[in-house]
Amino acid sequence: MGAAATLVARLRGVLAGYFEFDRPRNVAIACVMVALLYGLVSLALGQDRNWDLRNYHLYNAYAWLNDRLSHDLAAAQLQSYFTPLLDVPYFWMATRWSAPSAGFVLGAFHGLAFAGAAAVAWRVLEHHPRRSRLAPLLALAGCAGAAFLSGLGNTMGDNATAVPVLAAIFLLLPQSGSDRANPLPRILLAGVLLGAAVGLKLTNAPYAVGMGMAVMAFPPTRMSRLKAVVLLAGGALASFLVVAGPWFWSVWETFGNPLFPQFNAGFRAPLAQPISVADSKWGPQGWAEALAWPLLFTVDPDRVSNSPLPQVIWAALYLVGLGRLGWLLLRRWRRPSSPPVVANPALGFLLVFVPVSFVAWMLVFGIYRYLVVLELLAPLLLWLGLKPVFPRAARYVVLGCVSVSLLGWNTWGHAGWGERGFSVQVPELRGPEATTTVALVGGAPMAWMVPFLPGEFAFVSLASNFPESPAYVARVREMMVDRGGDNYAIIPAAVDKRVARMRRIDSILASLGMSGGAGDCGTLNWLIERAGFDAQVARVPTGGGDACRLEVPPARRLDLVAENLALANNAEQAVRGYGMRLDVEGCRVYEAYIGGDALPYQWCPLELAGAP
């Protein structure tokens, strides 16, 4: 024990030394170590299989690379027309490299957010005697937030675009000696990074509002507020147009709305209903909720996320902020003649940027994972808010907030690593591929399969989340008639999740040498009896003799035939409204996998039956 304790102490000392930002070498090593750590964590989590990936992240990249904007019609539902550039790197990696390699690179890139958060903390703590230790520790605390952890190693893009946003913040923060340095290059570069982040993912727009207001309040020295904002906006606009402009122009030319189908109430593109935004269920309901929103969504995480992301840091930061604001107002009331002085302009910048960006997010989006940039900076602000009043408690409050997120760690879905990241069994056809139209029926995310099916197919969505207009229905029917071939529908197939769970447990037990080789199942029987598993043990032949496997008892197994028939009948009812008929008896089940997870689908003949 003494030798082990000594080794742990030495290792801790070495790591602590690297996380002391007192020399450039340590900074570089710490940033690389954190990136590699998050790459390894991404590997441990498994293959990304979140809803958005299955719906549009793979499809949008594939469609953009293969010029399918007018070939398909809303194959990935409403999300088919989101800017696709952010999805291209992962698609390229996932279709050329091994799936774990792509997952590791994605997680490591997300780990670069640590460098951005640490750089911001370094600048804000410029005059603090212990900033070389505090900056990396507070950055690590930010990288342990609920939103950041939930998106680690996945394709949603919130963590990925946080990297350029944090870099832009760092460039804009006022710094010592800025009266001698020319701030123009920094502002322009910050604008370029900000515009690229918004162009890649429009949900970063609230940060543009926050940065503009913060620059107006705390501009670099030797430069007027207006000039600084104009330079920032000019760089951001130019970058945005380069990154997203060609895509929006193509969508405008094709459909008559660059943001199609969102905000169609103004553009009136004929193929979509005149909606404003796609999803308005998030966010506070009324001013009373808005004023207490950080407290409300901390108590009830479902108000801001489909998947609960436990956290308490926003409630803590909100209460500390209110307390400090009340104290400042009281002091101002007692001494009305003393002008407010901001001793630390970099901190002042954040104190404008964070609340303005938060309010913009709350009013426009309200989905928690879009708040990841502010979450990365929240521990820094919380520590700064508590330290002057409760110097000993500050670190423990931050640590407690981090612990809540770590203990409640939740993700958007991962699968076990498979031989390939994605695989889809190609169905049998009656006619040529070039004349085949395939309808993805229902709201389930199925467009991820499109890149692995024949490229000659034309894909459309029916009865999905796309706000279809009568012209949309007419276009779908027109496509089917003009192509002149056979039409098919893809609908989900049932999966017995209990069987899949047993297979995962089997895999773990086999790796521990508990598969009961040579037909000896006693150990496994003893284990499931003690654990209370709803399972039975069966001997199955293998290449090296019999082995023992867990199985779901027959009475508990899902009737896949009946479930698939029910799914097909539901789809048949849905397509009737389009003047179509789905051949339920002709449906066939084909295999498809994301990593080690089976996501089979049904391939059903589809016919035009008359006017809708």
Side-chain angles (χ1 to χ4, degrees):
M1 288 295 293
T6 301
L7 179 61
V8 170
R10 289 181 178 178
L11 179 61
R12 184 167 54 188
V14 170
L15 292 176
Y18 286 132
F19 279 84
E20 183 84 32
F21 279 15
D22 56 353
R23 63 188 72 176
R25 176 175 173 268
N26 284 3
V27 175
I29 291 175
C31 291
V32 171
M33 287 174 61
V34 172
L36 293 177
L37 171 65
Y38 279 117
L40 293 174
V41 173
S42 178
L43 284 179
L45 290 172
Q47 166 79 45
D48 179 29
R49 52 149 292 170
N50 73 80
W51 193 96
D52 288 352
L53 170 74
R54 288 178 282 140
N55 186 42
Y56 74 93
H57 286 307
L58 281 183
Y59 171 80
N60 284 8
Y62 165 77
W64 183 73
L65 291 170
N66 292 275
D67 195 24
R68 298 180 70 91
L69 184 59
S70 57
H71 184 82
D72 300 331
L73 186 59
Q77 309 186 63
L78 175 149
Q79 293 85 356
S80 303
Y81 306 106
F82 288 179
T83 48
L85 200 57
L86 183 60
D87 298 319
V88 171
Y90 179 79
F91 178 83
W92 189 91
M93 292 188 293
T95 54
R96 288 166 175 79
W97 298 355
S98 68
S101 298
F104 175 83
V105 170
L106 199 59
F109 183 79
H110 293 169
L112 294 179
F114 164 78
V120 172
W122 177 266
R123 182 64 52 77
V124 173
L125 297 169
E126 185 172 12
H127 302 294
H128 196 286
R130 297 183 59 216
R131 73 165 176 170
S132 60
R133 178 62 61 86
L134 287 170
L137 291 179
L138 290 169
L140 277 176
C143 291
F148 184 83
L149 292 176
S150 76
L152 183 62
N154 81 12
T155 54
M156 288 179 164
D158 305 294
N159 288 0
T161 55
V163 175
V165 173
L166 288 169
I169 296 170
F170 171 72
L171 290 169
L172 292 173
L173 288 174
Q175 57 183 308
S176 295
S178 58
D179 56 329
R180 296 185 297 273
N182 182 9
L184 189 146
R186 288 193 291 119
I187 297 175
L188 284 178
L189 180 56
V192 169
L193 291 169
L194 175 62
V198 177
L200 291 171
K201 193 170 177 64
L202 290 178
T203 55
N204 289 309
Y207 304 132
V209 178
M211 281 191 214
M213 295 296 291
V215 168
M216 182 69 74
F218 293 93
T221 57
R222 296 180 53 212
M223 182 174 290
S224 70
R225 288 175 167 80
L226 180 59
K227 184 178 180 181
V229 171
V230 168
L231 284 173
L232 176 67
L237 179 60
S239 178
F240 177 86
L241 291 176
V242 170
V243 171
W247 173 253
F248 287 135
W249 180 259
S250 297
V251 176
W252 175 288
E253 284 192 317
T254 304
F255 299 107
N257 175 357
L259 300 171
F260 184 76
Q262 299 187 97
F263 302 100
N264 205 42
F267 291 101
R268 301 284 175 171
L271 294 184
Q273 294 286 349
I275 63 170
S276 53
V277 293
D279 197 347
S280 57
K281 71 177 182 179
W282 309 105
Q285 304 298 317
W287 284 105
E289 284 198 351
L291 291 174
W293 194 232
L295 304 177
L296 292 177
F297 72 71
T298 296
V299 174
D300 185 4
D302 291 334
R303 296 291 303 272
V304 291
S305 180
N306 284 323
S307 179
L309 302 176
Q311 58 78 33
V312 294
I313 196 164
W314 281 106
L317 186 59
Y318 184 62
L319 293 175
V320 169
L322 287 180
R324 294 302 300 272
L325 179 62
W327 179 79
L328 288 174
L329 291 176
L330 179 61
R331 191 176 72 166
R332 178 69 174 166
W333 176 71
R334 288 180 174 179
R335 299 180 181 178
S337 59
S338 59
V341 177
V342 179
N344 186 345
L347 176 58
F349 183 100
L350 285 190
L351 292 178
V352 175
F353 168 75
V354 170
V356 171
S357 299
F358 182 92
V359 171
W361 161 83
M362 179 179 67
L363 297 178
V364 178
F365 296 114
I367 297 175
Y368 184 64
R369 62 185 176 87
Y370 299 163
L371 207 61
V372 67
V373 170
L374 303 189
E375 184 186 73
L376 286 161
L377 301 175
L380 169 64
L381 289 178
L382 180 60
W383 186 87
L384 287 170
L386 285 171
K387 185 65 175 175
V389 184
F390 304 105
R392 294 185 178 181
R395 71 178 70 178
Y396 298 109
V397 173
V398 172
L399 183 60
C401 292
V402 170
S403 300
V404 170
S405 295
L406 286 172
L407 293 174
W409 192 331
N410 202 2
T411 75
W412 299 96
H414 292 268
W417 295 110
E419 186 175 337
R420 287 182 291 174
F422 307 91
S423 61
V424 179
Q425 183 182 6
V426 178
E428 301 173 359
L429 295 178
R430 297 181 305 211
E433 297 173 351
T435 62
T436 300
T437 304
V438 181
L440 306 173
V441 181
M446 298 180 288
W448 70 270
M449 294 184 284
V450 171
F452 310 101
L453 294 172
E456 293 85 356
F457 290 176
F459 293 89
V460 301
S461 68
L462 295 176
S464 71
N465 68 16
F466 188 91
E468 303 168 352
S469 68
Y472 178 94
V473 178
R475 175 69 66 86
V476 171
R477 293 175 59 86
E478 181 183 320
M479 288 174 63
M480 293 180 173
V481 171
D482 289 349
R483 291 176 66 83
D486 294 324
N487 305 316
Y488 294 91
I490 287 179
I491 61 176
V495 176
D496 193 333
K497 294 182 179 179
R498 286 168 294 195
V499 171
R501 179 170 173 265
M502 292 301 171
R503 288 175 180 168
R504 287 194 293 270
I505 296 173
D506 261 336
S507 176
I508 295 172
L509 294 177
S511 68
L512 297 174
M514 301 177 64
S515 58
D520 179 14
C521 301
T523 302
L524 197 53
N525 269 313
W526 179 88
L527 181 63
I528 66 169
E529 288 176 4
R530 296 298 184 277
F533 284 165
D534 186 10
Q536 65 183 27
V537 181
R539 291 189 179 93
V540 296
T542 65
D546 288 351
C548 300
R549 295 288 183 265
L550 293 178
E551 290 187 350
V552 178
R556 299 279 292 165
R557 293 175 189 169
L558 192 67
D559 187 343
L560 296 180
V561 173
E563 292 292 325
N564 285 335
L565 181 60
L567 290 169
N569 282 324
N570 289 338
E572 204 280 329
Q573 291 289 331
V575 301
R576 282 185 185 180
Y578 299 87
M580 301 177 190
R581 187 180 71 85
L582 187 143
D583 182 2
V584 174
E585 295 182 356
C587 292
R588 298 291 181 268
V589 176
Y590 290 90
E591 294 182 349
Y593 290 88
I594 294 182
D597 278 15
L599 294 170
Y601 69 98
Q602 297 187 67
W603 179 262
C604 307
L606 184 66
E607 298 177 356
L608 293 174

Short mmCIF file of all heavy atoms in Angstrom, two decimals, residues 494 558-568 602:
data_model
loop_
_atom_site.label_atom_id
_atom_site.label_comp_id
_atom_site.label_asym_id
_atom_site.label_seq_id
_atom_site.Cartn_x
_atom_site.Cartn_y
_atom_site.Cartn_z
N ALA A 494 -39.55 -3.64 -35.84
CA ALA A 494 -39.48 -3.79 -34.39
C ALA A 494 -38.17 -4.42 -33.95
O ALA A 494 -37.60 -5.25 -34.66
CB ALA A 494 -40.66 -4.62 -33.89
N LEU A 558 -40.71 -10.34 -27.31
CA LEU A 558 -41.59 -9.53 -28.13
C LEU A 558 -41.97 -10.31 -29.39
O LEU A 558 -41.11 -10.94 -30.03
CB LEU A 558 -40.89 -8.22 -28.52
CG LEU A 558 -41.71 -7.12 -29.15
CD1 LEU A 558 -42.72 -6.56 -28.14
CD2 LEU A 558 -40.79 -5.99 -29.62
N ASP A 559 -43.22 -10.27 -29.75
CA ASP A 559 -43.67 -10.90 -30.99
C ASP A 559 -43.35 -9.96 -32.15
O ASP A 559 -44.13 -9.06 -32.48
CB ASP A 559 -45.18 -11.17 -30.91
CG ASP A 559 -45.69 -11.98 -32.11
OD1 ASP A 559 -44.98 -12.06 -33.14
OD2 ASP A 559 -46.82 -12.51 -32.02
N LEU A 560 -42.19 -10.17 -32.76
CA LEU A 560 -41.72 -9.25 -33.79
C LEU A 560 -42.63 -9.24 -35.01
O LEU A 560 -42.82 -8.19 -35.65
CB LEU A 560 -40.29 -9.62 -34.20
CG LEU A 560 -39.22 -9.47 -33.10
CD1 LEU A 560 -37.86 -9.87 -33.64
CD2 LEU A 560 -39.18 -8.05 -32.57
N VAL A 561 -43.18 -10.38 -35.37
CA VAL A 561 -44.06 -10.44 -36.54
C VAL A 561 -45.29 -9.58 -36.32
O VAL A 561 -45.69 -8.78 -37.18
CB VAL A 561 -44.47 -11.90 -36.84
CG1 VAL A 561 -45.51 -11.95 -37.95
CG2 VAL A 561 -43.25 -12.73 -37.22
N ALA A 562 -45.90 -9.69 -35.15
CA ALA A 562 -47.09 -8.90 -34.85
C ALA A 562 -46.75 -7.42 -34.74
O ALA A 562 -47.51 -6.56 -35.22
CB ALA A 562 -47.73 -9.39 -33.55
N GLU A 563 -45.60 -7.10 -34.13
CA GLU A 563 -45.21 -5.71 -34.01
C GLU A 563 -44.94 -5.08 -35.37
O GLU A 563 -45.34 -3.94 -35.64
CB GLU A 563 -43.95 -5.59 -33.14
CG GLU A 563 -44.16 -5.94 -31.68
CD GLU A 563 -45.04 -4.94 -30.96
OE1 GLU A 563 -44.94 -3.73 -31.30
OE2 GLU A 563 -45.82 -5.33 -30.09
N ASN A 564 -44.27 -5.81 -36.24
CA ASN A 564 -43.99 -5.28 -37.58
C ASN A 564 -45.27 -5.10 -38.38
O ASN A 564 -45.41 -4.14 -39.15
CB ASN A 564 -43.03 -6.22 -38.33
CG ASN A 564 -41.61 -6.10 -37.83
OD1 ASN A 564 -41.21 -5.08 -37.29
ND2 ASN A 564 -40.84 -7.17 -37.99
N LEU A 565 -46.20 -6.02 -38.20
CA LEU A 565 -47.48 -5.88 -38.90
C LEU A 565 -48.22 -4.63 -38.42
O LEU A 565 -48.81 -3.89 -39.22
CB LEU A 565 -48.33 -7.12 -38.66
CG LEU A 565 -49.72 -7.15 -39.34
CD1 LEU A 565 -49.57 -7.05 -40.87
CD2 LEU A 565 -50.48 -8.41 -38.95
N ALA A 566 -48.17 -4.37 -37.13
CA ALA A 566 -48.82 -3.17 -36.59
C ALA A 566 -48.16 -1.91 -37.14
O ALA A 566 -48.85 -0.94 -37.50
CB ALA A 566 -48.77 -3.19 -35.07
N LEU A 567 -46.84 -1.90 -37.21
CA LEU A 567 -46.13 -0.75 -37.77
C LEU A 567 -46.49 -0.53 -39.23
O LEU A 567 -46.69 0.60 -39.69
CB LEU A 567 -44.62 -0.94 -37.62
CG LEU A 567 -44.07 -0.86 -36.20
CD1 LEU A 567 -42.62 -1.34 -36.16
CD2 LEU A 567 -44.15 0.57 -35.68
N ALA A 568 -46.60 -1.63 -39.98
CA ALA A 568 -46.96 -1.52 -41.40
C ALA A 568 -48.39 -1.02 -41.57
O ALA A 568 -48.68 -0.20 -42.45
CB ALA A 568 -46.78 -2.87 -42.09
N GLN A 602 -38.35 -2.01 -42.56
CA GLN A 602 -39.26 -2.73 -43.45
C GLN A 602 -39.29 -2.02 -44.80
O GLN A 602 -39.35 -0.79 -44.87
CB GLN A 602 -40.67 -2.79 -42.86
CG GLN A 602 -40.75 -3.56 -41.55
CD GLN A 602 -42.18 -3.75 -41.09
OE1 GLN A 602 -42.98 -4.46 -41.72
NE2 GLN A 602 -42.53 -3.11 -39.98
#
